[in-house]
Amino acid sequence: MRDFFFNPERFKEAMSQLESGTQERPDVWRWVLIPKTELGITFQGDYTVEYSPETSRSSWRTLEGNMRSSGEVVVRERESGVEVEYNETLEVSLPVPKIMAKAFGPIVSREVRHGVGDFLDRAAQLLAT
């Protein structure tokens, strides 16, 4: 479990909306998402994230890009199995004027929630095999 969530090379397998994921230097990865188009506006997430793995937790934060991601995952061994606590905050910089961003915000929020949920579902499937 720890090996999966603390290792971007492993957990990128669960990122269904990923176009590319490359290691820039130790503990720093650049993520490029598959472009999405809604109502004539195309957005492609492109951001660089620094990971800080420790013994039982790993945290991350965006260094640069058009998405901001920060969070942590904590893995605890329990008598009944392994407990995983996952927290993430995402923010997207849309390539539209601010007045239009208000209209597109709900669409982007829906897509981001779907992406995170899909990642966690796929992670559970990969870890179950």
Side-chain angles (χ1 to χ4, degrees), residues 76-128:
R76 296 180 187 95
E77 297 290 331
R78 302 285 190 212
E79 286 184 22
S80 59
V82 178
E83 177 184 80
V84 176
E85 181 181 329
Y86 183 92
N87 294 294
E88 183 171 19
T89 301
L90 289 166
E91 180 182 322
V92 176
S93 297
L94 293 171
V96 296
K98 286 188 180 201
I99 189 103
M100 290 178 67
K102 288 184 180 187
F104 288 100
I107 294 169
V108 172
S109 293
R110 180 190 73 226
E111 289 296 318
V112 167
R113 280 192 305 275
H114 173 74
V116 172
D118 188 53
F119 167 76
L120 293 172
D121 289 344
R122 291 172 59 114
Q125 291 172 355
L126 286 169
L127 290 166

Side-chain angles (χ1 to χ4, degrees), residues 1-128:
M1 196 77 61
R2 182 187 183 287
D3 179 56
F4 180 83
F5 282 106
F6 291 27
N7 182 352
E9 185 67 43
R10 288 277 328 274
F11 68 67
K12 77 179 188 180
E13 300 170 36
M15 297 173 75
S16 65
Q17 299 177 21
L18 184 64
E19 183 173 283
S20 68
T22 54
Q23 186 173 17
E24 302 283 305
R25 56 187 187 272
D27 295 325
V28 176
W29 284 71
R30 179 175 177 210
W31 304 109
V32 179
L33 304 182
I34 296 169
K36 294 264 188 186
T37 301
E38 289 279 344
L39 302 173
I41 303 294
T42 299
F43 176 78
Q44 182 173 31
D46 184 348
Y47 57 113
T48 302
V49 178
E50 179 178 43
Y51 295 88
S52 301
E54 298 172 21
T55 303
S56 63
R57 77 179 60 232
S58 181
S59 61
W60 62 90
R61 67 181 180 90
T62 297
L63 299 175
E64 61 184 8
N66 61 4
M67 290 183 66
R68 294 274 176 238
S69 174
S70 63
E72 76 173 3
V73 61
V74 179
V75 177
R76 296 180 187 95
E77 297 290 331
R78 302 285 190 212
E79 286 184 22
S80 59
V82 178
E83 177 184 80
V84 176
E85 181 181 329
Y86 183 92
N87 294 294
E88 183 171 19
T89 301
L90 289 166
E91 180 182 322
V92 176
S93 297
L94 293 171
V96 296
K98 286 188 180 201
I99 189 103
M100 290 178 67
K102 288 184 180 187
F104 288 100
I107 294 169
V108 172
S109 293
R110 180 190 73 226
E111 289 296 318
V112 167
R113 280 192 305 275
H114 173 74
V116 172
D118 188 53
F119 167 76
L120 293 172
D121 289 344
R122 291 172 59 114
Q125 291 172 355
L126 286 169
L127 290 166

